[in-house]
Amino acid sequence: LLPASLHGVIAGEREKRTLEMLRATLLTASDVVSGKFLVVLGLGLILLLTSLPIASWSLLLGGVAPEEVLYLYTYLFVLGAFATALGMFYSTLLGRSVGAVVATYGTLLAIVIVPLILMTVISYVVVPGGSPAVGVGDIWGAILLTALALGCGWLFYLAFRWVWRRLLGD
């Protein structure tokens, strides 16, 4: 949800021709960017806090420890901060807000979802009989997931750079 709310951050200011007005103020560029970053991150924090009463039902019904809920919400907040920073990056890099949102979702898909799918496929192929060899909670699963995420992120960067050079002719 956060990358979709970032559509008007910098690229939207450029499209509406209001970026020059922001530059005319006494604010520095880092003040503008960090302020917009914190506003969107605050929205993400509000969304997380509003979902906490519903998540607390899993604590009341049992089966989930409070530490697991804390770990999950910490992970979701860090992922939201990463998605917000990535959206800010693409919003400043690309000229159109729609392109920034699509590039942000594409990058998140490439470095978050694809490694999970690859890890699942690899773990089912390695062990005959269909049971997974490693899980996400296992240390080797975390190492494999990190390696796959880095590899997918690097491949996405190379593909993005290639497309960027083809479009701009650099």
Side-chain angles (χ1 to χ4, degrees):
L1 198 61
L2 292 179
S5 64
L6 283 168
H7 72 281
V9 177
I10 301 295
E13 296 281 347
R14 207 177 294 141
E15 288 173 357
K16 292 184 283 187
R17 308 236 185 255
T18 55
L19 190 60
E20 289 80 21
M21 286 188 265
L22 278 175
R23 287 183 181 171
T25 62
L26 296 176
L27 296 174
T28 63
S30 63
D31 289 339
V32 171
V33 171
S34 62
K36 289 180 177 286
F37 175 78
L38 290 176
V39 165
V40 174
L41 195 60
L43 172 70
L45 185 62
I46 288 171
L47 289 173
L48 279 176
L49 290 177
T50 56
S51 70
L52 195 57
I54 295 170
S56 66
W57 276 100
S58 63
L59 293 172
L60 292 175
L61 296 175
V64 177
E67 298 87 25
E68 293 174 341
V69 173
L70 179 67
Y71 293 152
L72 175 68
Y73 273 79
T74 304
Y75 169 75
L76 288 174
F77 181 74
V78 169
L79 185 63
F82 174 71
T84 303
L86 193 63
M88 292 287 292
F89 168 73
Y90 282 127
S91 182
T92 56
L93 183 67
L94 302 175
R96 305 279 306 177
S97 58
V98 175
V101 171
V102 169
T104 303
Y105 277 123
T107 304
L108 288 174
L109 183 71
I111 63 176
V112 174
I113 303 298
V114 173
L116 285 172
I117 292 170
L118 287 176
M119 189 178 88
T120 304
V121 168
I122 289 172
S123 65
Y124 277 100
V125 168
V126 168
V127 175
S131 67
V134 292
V136 177
D138 187 18
I139 185 65
W140 294 109
I143 290 171
L144 179 63
L145 184 63
T146 303
L148 288 172
L150 288 173
C152 288
W154 181 252
L155 288 175
F156 183 78
Y157 165 73
L158 291 177
F160 182 76
R161 191 175 74 174
W162 179 79
V163 169
W164 186 262
R165 286 186 178 174
R166 292 287 178 188
L167 290 177
L168 293 180
D170 290 339

